Amino acid sequence: MAKKSGAAHLRKTEPLIPYEWPGSYFLGKEELAAAASVLKARSPFRFYGPDLQGYADRLEKAYCERLGRKHALAVNSGTSALSLAVAALSIGPGDEVLLPGYFWVSCVAAVVRAGAIPRLVDVDDTFCIDPADLERKIDGHTRAVLMVHMSGAPGAIDKVSEICRNHKLPLIEDCAQANGASFHGKPAGSFGDLAIFSFQLNKNITAGEGGLVVCDDENLYRRAWACHDLGYTRNPQGRLDTSSLQLWGQGSRYSELLAAVVFTQLKKLDKITAAMRKAKYQLRAKLEGIPGLSFRRILDPKGDSGPFLLLIWKDRETCLRMVERTRAAGVQTGSLGMNNVPMTDWGLHIYYNNLSLVEKRSLSAAGRPWTDPLNAFAANYEYKKGTLPVLDGLIDRSSLLSIPPTLSAKAIDKIAAEFHRAAG
Ligand SMILES: Cc1ncc(COP(=O)(O)O)c(C=O)c1O
């Protein structure tokens, strides 16, 4: 319980954290001009129109160059990108995909909607997949591994890649929260057989919506392409080509208008992540020494894209007390923001907060994929709290701060001072 004496400084003040959505703060006249050029050309559809501006093509080319990839495909969301990666790998009933329990609901939905079984892997203190638990859980049904680079920074992607290589398992990297991050100099998104990105509002760069799939393999690319656009590829005139690949597709094409915005924002990505990283590590240094506080382990701080600081407290009671006191002292983003929260409140990022997963809900009356005879091997898999003891323990006593690229030195000092005061 919080001590009564602590209440003296629980005063209401102005929010100390100005802004929460990194990319959106940098939406400026350049993005406006790019979007306007698409509208002026009356060509918001990427494949044909009166005067195509080619922004989706340019965005894909820019990502290929950044990541050293052969192929990139712009799509309408990170959620679609995940489904397309799963479809490209022909994953379905009878298959299981290993993924961590700290994720976003889209990660698990992509697997379930494909008719396959998600199997949860515990994390280590990087808050990403624990390579040892991954190795333990690989079995004859495992068809792929989904590594999610959570909260801005890659986990042990070197070890996870090696394990996948040794077991000849495809690796998908989810870089939605780690656009612009790297691991010892190699960009996040350049390790897996496939990788995905998101340009939704909370992300390091944004157009409000958008996503990207990258890969090197021509066949995976063609499948992802066809699946994103009705099941077919396109001919040079931008019309559906029914003479080539024929699959079942989604309606996941990216709009030229949004591609224009993201292509323009991409030029600012390194500036945005550098600003967040700097602010994050300045704040972290000032919080060192608070009794009972440690931090998420970041394997390569130089490659951290910086949008979140995860604080691990000595126990849950301390965590809740510190969040309550510092929020009351202004360490928050205001009424619209989700900031400085206990991680148990971090919604659908935590596996046991996803009721559809815990209760094995289905879209079909027949209860697939859970009831599919091909998935009988997974009958005993569980998803309720307690399934991943390391993650459960960390989430129970950790809190999360989002770090905007605009956090001033003065605000950093003030936030640190409030944490020290609250701990006192
Ligand atoms: C880890 C992760 N994967 C995937 C997604 C899905 O991206 P989108 O919102 O663009 O569908 C998100 C978005 O929040 C995410 O955080």
Side-chain angles (χ1 to χ4, degrees), residues 325-352:
R325 288 184 178 182
T326 51
R327 280 185 73 86
V331 183
Q332 53 174 302
T333 320
S335 57
L336 289 180
M338 270 279 282
N339 203 344
N340 194 13
V341 287
M343 288 195 72
T344 41
D345 293 353
W346 201 222
L348 301 177
H349 291 103
I350 319 292
Y351 71 99
Y352 56 75

PDB file of all heavy atoms in Angstrom, residues 325-352:
ATOM      1  N   ARG A 325       2.014   8.211  -8.220  1.00  0.00           N
ATOM      2  CA  ARG A 325       2.599   9.471  -7.728  1.00  0.00           C
ATOM      3  C   ARG A 325       3.152  10.327  -8.860  1.00  0.00           C
ATOM      4  O   ARG A 325       2.964  11.534  -8.878  1.00  0.00           O
ATOM      5  CB  ARG A 325       3.730   9.166  -6.750  1.00  0.00           C
ATOM      6  CG  ARG A 325       3.222   8.642  -5.425  1.00  0.00           C
ATOM      7  CD  ARG A 325       4.384   8.456  -4.484  1.00  0.00           C
ATOM      8  NE  ARG A 325       3.923   8.000  -3.191  1.00  0.00           N
ATOM      9  CZ  ARG A 325       4.725   7.787  -2.170  1.00  0.00           C
ATOM     10  NH1 ARG A 325       6.029   7.979  -2.287  1.00  0.00           N
ATOM     11  NH2 ARG A 325       4.246   7.376  -1.012  1.00  0.00           N
ATOM     12  N   THR A 326       3.851   9.680  -9.795  1.00  0.00           N
ATOM     13  CA  THR A 326       4.471  10.484 -10.859  1.00  0.00           C
ATOM     14  C   THR A 326       3.414  11.000 -11.838  1.00  0.00           C
ATOM     15  O   THR A 326       3.529  12.120 -12.337  1.00  0.00           O
ATOM     16  CB  THR A 326       5.561   9.683 -11.601  1.00  0.00           C
ATOM     17  OG1 THR A 326       5.024   8.414 -11.999  1.00  0.00           O
ATOM     18  CG2 THR A 326       6.782   9.467 -10.715  1.00  0.00           C
ATOM     19  N   ARG A 327       2.376  10.236 -12.066  1.00  0.00           N
ATOM     20  CA  ARG A 327       1.286  10.737 -12.931  1.00  0.00           C
ATOM     21  C   ARG A 327       0.638  11.963 -12.300  1.00  0.00           C
ATOM     22  O   ARG A 327       0.384  12.962 -12.963  1.00  0.00           O
ATOM     23  CB  ARG A 327       0.215   9.665 -13.148  1.00  0.00           C
ATOM     24  CG  ARG A 327       0.569   8.629 -14.190  1.00  0.00           C
ATOM     25  CD  ARG A 327      -0.593   7.680 -14.416  1.00  0.00           C
ATOM     26  NE  ARG A 327      -1.665   8.323 -15.166  1.00  0.00           N
ATOM     27  CZ  ARG A 327      -1.705   8.377 -16.495  1.00  0.00           C
ATOM     28  NH1 ARG A 327      -0.762   7.817 -17.208  1.00  0.00           N
ATOM     29  NH2 ARG A 327      -2.699   8.981 -17.113  1.00  0.00           N
ATOM     30  N   ALA A 328       0.387  11.858 -10.991  1.00  0.00           N
ATOM     31  CA  ALA A 328      -0.249  12.988 -10.307  1.00  0.00           C
ATOM     32  C   ALA A 328       0.652  14.222 -10.354  1.00  0.00           C
ATOM     33  O   ALA A 328       0.171  15.354 -10.344  1.00  0.00           O
ATOM     34  CB  ALA A 328      -0.552  12.604  -8.865  1.00  0.00           C
ATOM     35  N   ALA A 329       1.966  13.981 -10.446  1.00  0.00           N
ATOM     36  CA  ALA A 329       2.907  15.109 -10.505  1.00  0.00           C
ATOM     37  C   ALA A 329       3.126  15.582 -11.943  1.00  0.00           C
ATOM     38  O   ALA A 329       4.001  16.401 -12.196  1.00  0.00           O
ATOM     39  CB  ALA A 329       4.230  14.695  -9.876  1.00  0.00           C
ATOM     40  N   GLY A 330       2.372  15.043 -12.879  1.00  0.00           N
ATOM     41  CA  GLY A 330       2.435  15.555 -14.250  1.00  0.00           C
ATOM     42  C   GLY A 330       3.171  14.671 -15.240  1.00  0.00           C
ATOM     43  O   GLY A 330       3.277  15.023 -16.418  1.00  0.00           O
ATOM     44  N   VAL A 331       3.706  13.527 -14.799  1.00  0.00           N
ATOM     45  CA  VAL A 331       4.438  12.666 -15.744  1.00  0.00           C
ATOM     46  C   VAL A 331       3.412  11.848 -16.542  1.00  0.00           C
ATOM     47  O   VAL A 331       3.134  10.686 -16.265  1.00  0.00           O
ATOM     48  CB  VAL A 331       5.452  11.759 -15.032  1.00  0.00           C
ATOM     49  CG1 VAL A 331       6.238  10.943 -16.060  1.00  0.00           C
ATOM     50  CG2 VAL A 331       6.398  12.579 -14.181  1.00  0.00           C
ATOM     51  N   GLN A 332       2.827  12.517 -17.517  1.00  0.00           N
ATOM     52  CA  GLN A 332       1.850  11.901 -18.404  1.00  0.00           C
ATOM     53  C   GLN A 332       1.661  12.829 -19.593  1.00  0.00           C
ATOM     54  O   GLN A 332       2.212  13.930 -19.626  1.00  0.00           O
ATOM     55  CB  GLN A 332       0.523  11.661 -17.675  1.00  0.00           C
ATOM     56  CG  GLN A 332      -0.026  12.895 -16.992  1.00  0.00           C
ATOM     57  CD  GLN A 332      -1.404  12.632 -16.422  1.00  0.00           C
ATOM     58  OE1 GLN A 332      -2.295  12.258 -17.162  1.00  0.00           O
ATOM     59  NE2 GLN A 332      -1.571  12.825 -15.134  1.00  0.00           N
ATOM     60  N   THR A 333       0.861  12.370 -20.560  1.00  0.00           N
ATOM     61  CA  THR A 333       0.719  13.149 -21.792  1.00  0.00           C
ATOM     62  C   THR A 333      -0.586  13.936 -21.839  1.00  0.00           C
ATOM     63  O   THR A 333      -0.866  14.588 -22.824  1.00  0.00           O
ATOM     64  CB  THR A 333       0.793  12.216 -23.022  1.00  0.00           C
ATOM     65  OG1 THR A 333       1.801  11.249 -22.785  1.00  0.00           O
ATOM     66  CG2 THR A 333       1.156  12.951 -24.282  1.00  0.00           C
ATOM     67  N   GLY A 334      -1.370  13.836 -20.799  1.00  0.00           N
ATOM     68  CA  GLY A 334      -2.661  14.521 -20.858  1.00  0.00           C
ATOM     69  C   GLY A 334      -3.766  13.539 -21.164  1.00  0.00           C
ATOM     70  O   GLY A 334      -3.535  12.347 -21.318  1.00  0.00           O
ATOM     71  N   SER A 335      -4.972  14.060 -21.278  1.00  0.00           N
ATOM     72  CA  SER A 335      -6.138  13.173 -21.304  1.00  0.00           C
ATOM     73  C   SER A 335      -6.131  12.215 -22.495  1.00  0.00           C
ATOM     74  O   SER A 335      -6.653  11.114 -22.428  1.00  0.00           O
ATOM     75  CB  SER A 335      -7.413  14.007 -21.312  1.00  0.00           C
ATOM     76  OG  SER A 335      -7.374  14.860 -22.425  1.00  0.00           O
ATOM     77  N   LEU A 336      -5.520  12.627 -23.622  1.00  0.00           N
ATOM     78  CA  LEU A 336      -5.552  11.764 -24.796  1.00  0.00           C
ATOM     79  C   LEU A 336      -4.481  10.680 -24.763  1.00  0.00           C
ATOM     80  O   LEU A 336      -4.556   9.702 -25.477  1.00  0.00           O
ATOM     81  CB  LEU A 336      -5.336  12.609 -26.059  1.00  0.00           C
ATOM     82  CG  LEU A 336      -6.476  13.519 -26.447  1.00  0.00           C
ATOM     83  CD1 LEU A 336      -6.112  14.283 -27.706  1.00  0.00           C
ATOM     84  CD2 LEU A 336      -7.734  12.709 -26.699  1.00  0.00           C
ATOM     85  N   GLY A 337      -3.478  10.884 -23.951  1.00  0.00           N
ATOM     86  CA  GLY A 337      -2.308  10.015 -24.026  1.00  0.00           C
ATOM     87  C   GLY A 337      -2.408   8.769 -23.176  1.00  0.00           C
ATOM     88  O   GLY A 337      -3.136   8.712 -22.196  1.00  0.00           O
ATOM     89  N   MET A 338      -1.681   7.737 -23.616  1.00  0.00           N
ATOM     90  CA  MET A 338      -1.512   6.511 -22.837  1.00  0.00           C
ATOM     91  C   MET A 338      -0.054   6.517 -22.437  1.00  0.00           C
ATOM     92  O   MET A 338       0.801   6.025 -23.162  1.00  0.00           O
ATOM     93  CB  MET A 338      -1.745   5.300 -23.734  1.00  0.00           C
ATOM     94  CG  MET A 338      -3.143   4.797 -23.802  1.00  0.00           C
ATOM     95  SD  MET A 338      -3.546   3.759 -22.414  1.00  0.00           S
ATOM     96  CE  MET A 338      -2.785   2.210 -22.834  1.00  0.00           C
ATOM     97  N   ASN A 339       0.264   7.114 -21.330  1.00  0.00           N
ATOM     98  CA  ASN A 339       1.684   7.220 -21.011  1.00  0.00           C
ATOM     99  C   ASN A 339       1.880   7.070 -19.518  1.00  0.00           C
ATOM    100  O   ASN A 339       1.004   7.412 -18.736  1.00  0.00           O
ATOM    101  CB  ASN A 339       2.212   8.592 -21.462  1.00  0.00           C
ATOM    102  CG  ASN A 339       3.703   8.555 -21.677  1.00  0.00           C
ATOM    103  OD1 ASN A 339       4.382   7.637 -21.235  1.00  0.00           O
ATOM    104  ND2 ASN A 339       4.225   9.556 -22.342  1.00  0.00           N
ATOM    105  N   ASN A 340       3.067   6.563 -19.151  1.00  0.00           N
ATOM    106  CA  ASN A 340       3.371   6.313 -17.747  1.00  0.00           C
ATOM    107  C   ASN A 340       2.281   5.429 -17.139  1.00  0.00           C
ATOM    108  O   ASN A 340       1.553   5.848 -16.241  1.00  0.00           O
ATOM    109  CB  ASN A 340       3.509   7.649 -16.996  1.00  0.00           C
ATOM    110  CG  ASN A 340       4.162   7.439 -15.627  1.00  0.00           C
ATOM    111  OD1 ASN A 340       4.709   6.373 -15.336  1.00  0.00           O
ATOM    112  ND2 ASN A 340       4.093   8.451 -14.777  1.00  0.00           N
ATOM    113  N   VAL A 341       2.179   4.219 -17.679  1.00  0.00           N
ATOM    114  CA  VAL A 341       1.153   3.273 -17.216  1.00  0.00           C
ATOM    115  C   VAL A 341       1.818   1.989 -16.715  1.00  0.00           C
ATOM    116  O   VAL A 341       2.890   1.613 -17.206  1.00  0.00           O
ATOM    117  CB  VAL A 341       0.154   2.893 -18.345  1.00  0.00           C
ATOM    118  CG1 VAL A 341      -0.773   4.031 -18.654  1.00  0.00           C
ATOM    119  CG2 VAL A 341       0.873   2.410 -19.592  1.00  0.00           C
ATOM    120  N   PRO A 342       1.175   1.315 -15.753  1.00  0.00           N
ATOM    121  CA  PRO A 342       1.661  -0.027 -15.414  1.00  0.00           C
ATOM    122  C   PRO A 342       1.488  -0.904 -16.643  1.00  0.00           C
ATOM    123  O   PRO A 342       0.485  -0.773 -17.360  1.00  0.00           O
ATOM    124  CB  PRO A 342       0.708  -0.488 -14.302  1.00  0.00           C
ATOM    125  CG  PRO A 342      -0.111   0.685 -13.914  1.00  0.00           C
ATOM    126  CD  PRO A 342      -0.060   1.677 -15.037  1.00  0.00           C
ATOM    127  N   MET A 343       2.431  -1.799 -16.886  1.00  0.00           N
ATOM    128  CA  MET A 343       2.345  -2.562 -18.135  1.00  0.00           C
ATOM    129  C   MET A 343       1.180  -3.541 -18.168  1.00  0.00           C
ATOM    130  O   MET A 343       0.785  -3.979 -19.253  1.00  0.00           O
ATOM    131  CB  MET A 343       3.672  -3.251 -18.425  1.00  0.00           C
ATOM    132  CG  MET A 343       4.708  -2.223 -18.854  1.00  0.00           C
ATOM    133  SD  MET A 343       6.153  -2.943 -19.605  1.00  0.00           S
ATOM    134  CE  MET A 343       5.512  -3.476 -21.183  1.00  0.00           C
ATOM    135  N   THR A 344       0.625  -3.853 -17.011  1.00  0.00           N
ATOM    136  CA  THR A 344      -0.582  -4.698 -17.018  1.00  0.00           C
ATOM    137  C   THR A 344      -1.736  -3.971 -17.719  1.00  0.00           C
ATOM    138  O   THR A 344      -2.692  -4.597 -18.158  1.00  0.00           O
ATOM    139  CB  THR A 344      -1.001  -5.073 -15.585  1.00  0.00           C
ATOM    140  OG1 THR A 344      -0.845  -3.925 -14.761  1.00  0.00           O
ATOM    141  CG2 THR A 344      -0.189  -6.224 -15.036  1.00  0.00           C
ATOM    142  N   ASP A 345      -1.637  -2.633 -17.800  1.00  0.00           N
ATOM    143  CA  ASP A 345      -2.686  -1.858 -18.492  1.00  0.00           C
ATOM    144  C   ASP A 345      -2.354  -1.628 -19.962  1.00  0.00           C
ATOM    145  O   ASP A 345      -3.019  -0.844 -20.624  1.00  0.00           O
ATOM    146  CB  ASP A 345      -2.857  -0.467 -17.840  1.00  0.00           C
ATOM    147  CG  ASP A 345      -3.427  -0.563 -16.436  1.00  0.00           C
ATOM    148  OD1 ASP A 345      -3.816  -1.679 -16.032  1.00  0.00           O
ATOM    149  OD2 ASP A 345      -3.450   0.472 -15.740  1.00  0.00           O
ATOM    150  N   TRP A 346      -1.309  -2.266 -20.458  1.00  0.00           N
ATOM    151  CA  TRP A 346      -0.860  -2.003 -21.818  1.00  0.00           C
ATOM    152  C   TRP A 346      -1.652  -2.843 -22.820  1.00  0.00           C
ATOM    153  O   TRP A 346      -1.135  -3.375 -23.797  1.00  0.00           O
ATOM    154  CB  TRP A 346       0.663  -2.246 -21.896  1.00  0.00           C
ATOM    155  CG  TRP A 346       1.409  -1.602 -23.029  1.00  0.00           C
ATOM    156  CD1 TRP A 346       2.389  -2.205 -23.765  1.00  0.00           C
ATOM    157  CD2 TRP A 346       1.292  -0.271 -23.560  1.00  0.00           C
ATOM    158  NE1 TRP A 346       2.877  -1.322 -24.702  1.00  0.00           N
ATOM    159  CE2 TRP A 346       2.218  -0.137 -24.596  1.00  0.00           C
ATOM    160  CE3 TRP A 346       0.467   0.833 -23.246  1.00  0.00           C
ATOM    161  CZ2 TRP A 346       2.366   1.038 -25.335  1.00  0.00           C
ATOM    162  CZ3 TRP A 346       0.612   1.999 -23.981  1.00  0.00           C
ATOM    163  CH2 TRP A 346       1.551   2.089 -25.003  1.00  0.00           C
ATOM    164  N   GLY A 347      -2.899  -3.078 -22.481  1.00  0.00           N
ATOM    165  CA  GLY A 347      -3.918  -3.629 -23.378  1.00  0.00           C
ATOM    166  C   GLY A 347      -3.524  -4.875 -24.155  1.00  0.00           C
ATOM    167  O   GLY A 347      -2.960  -5.820 -23.609  1.00  0.00           O
ATOM    168  N   LEU A 348      -3.824  -4.832 -25.429  1.00  0.00           N
ATOM    169  CA  LEU A 348      -3.700  -6.015 -26.284  1.00  0.00           C
ATOM    170  C   LEU A 348      -2.250  -6.325 -26.655  1.00  0.00           C
ATOM    171  O   LEU A 348      -1.991  -7.186 -27.482  1.00  0.00           O
ATOM    172  CB  LEU A 348      -4.562  -5.848 -27.538  1.00  0.00           C
ATOM    173  CG  LEU A 348      -6.054  -5.630 -27.251  1.00  0.00           C
ATOM    174  CD1 LEU A 348      -6.827  -5.394 -28.543  1.00  0.00           C
ATOM    175  CD2 LEU A 348      -6.663  -6.804 -26.479  1.00  0.00           C
ATOM    176  N   HIS A 349      -1.316  -5.621 -26.015  1.00  0.00           N
ATOM    177  CA  HIS A 349       0.092  -5.986 -26.190  1.00  0.00           C
ATOM    178  C   HIS A 349       0.454  -7.205 -25.344  1.00  0.00           C
ATOM    179  O   HIS A 349       1.495  -7.821 -25.551  1.00  0.00           O
ATOM    180  CB  HIS A 349       1.017  -4.834 -25.751  1.00  0.00           C
ATOM    181  CG  HIS A 349       0.949  -3.650 -26.655  1.00  0.00           C
ATOM    182  ND1 HIS A 349       0.263  -2.504 -26.345  1.00  0.00           N
ATOM    183  CD2 HIS A 349       1.483  -3.434 -27.877  1.00  0.00           C
ATOM    184  CE1 HIS A 349       0.384  -1.637 -27.334  1.00  0.00           C
ATOM    185  NE2 HIS A 349       1.117  -2.176 -28.277  1.00  0.00           N
ATOM    186  N   ILE A 350      -0.380  -7.509 -24.362  1.00  0.00           N
ATOM    187  CA  ILE A 350      -0.059  -8.595 -23.431  1.00  0.00           C
ATOM    188  C   ILE A 350      -0.983  -9.777 -23.730  1.00  0.00           C
ATOM    189  O   ILE A 350      -2.206  -9.609 -23.770  1.00  0.00           O
ATOM    190  CB  ILE A 350      -0.290  -8.158 -21.958  1.00  0.00           C
ATOM    191  CG1 ILE A 350       0.198  -6.720 -21.711  1.00  0.00           C
ATOM    192  CG2 ILE A 350       0.309  -9.169 -20.987  1.00  0.00           C
ATOM    193  CD1 ILE A 350       1.674  -6.512 -21.780  1.00  0.00           C
ATOM    194  N   TYR A 351      -0.394 -10.959 -23.897  1.00  0.00           N
ATOM    195  CA  TYR A 351      -1.186 -12.083 -24.418  1.00  0.00           C
ATOM    196  C   TYR A 351      -2.463 -12.333 -23.628  1.00  0.00           C
ATOM    197  O   TYR A 351      -3.532 -12.533 -24.196  1.00  0.00           O
ATOM    198  CB  TYR A 351      -0.319 -13.353 -24.496  1.00  0.00           C
ATOM    199  CG  TYR A 351       0.046 -13.980 -23.159  1.00  0.00           C
ATOM    200  CD1 TYR A 351      -0.656 -15.071 -22.647  1.00  0.00           C
ATOM    201  CD2 TYR A 351       1.110 -13.498 -22.400  1.00  0.00           C
ATOM    202  CE1 TYR A 351      -0.322 -15.648 -21.436  1.00  0.00           C
ATOM    203  CE2 TYR A 351       1.448 -14.066 -21.181  1.00  0.00           C
ATOM    204  CZ  TYR A 351       0.723 -15.135 -20.701  1.00  0.00           C
ATOM    205  OH  TYR A 351       1.047 -15.696 -19.492  1.00  0.00           O
ATOM    206  N   TYR A 352      -2.383 -12.295 -22.270  1.00  0.00           N
ATOM    207  CA  TYR A 352      -3.569 -12.685 -21.498  1.00  0.00           C
ATOM    208  C   TYR A 352      -4.647 -11.609 -21.473  1.00  0.00           C
ATOM    209  O   TYR A 352      -5.732 -11.826 -20.964  1.00  0.00           O
ATOM    210  CB  TYR A 352      -3.194 -13.134 -20.079  1.00  0.00           C
ATOM    211  CG  TYR A 352      -2.399 -12.123 -19.269  1.00  0.00           C
ATOM    212  CD1 TYR A 352      -2.993 -10.989 -18.724  1.00  0.00           C
ATOM    213  CD2 TYR A 352      -1.052 -12.333 -19.024  1.00  0.00           C
ATOM    214  CE1 TYR A 352      -2.261 -10.081 -17.981  1.00  0.00           C
ATOM    215  CE2 TYR A 352      -0.304 -11.430 -18.278  1.00  0.00           C
ATOM    216  CZ  TYR A 352      -0.919 -10.307 -17.760  1.00  0.00           C
ATOM    217  OH  TYR A 352      -0.183  -9.418 -17.031  1.00  0.00           O
TER     218      TYR A 352
END
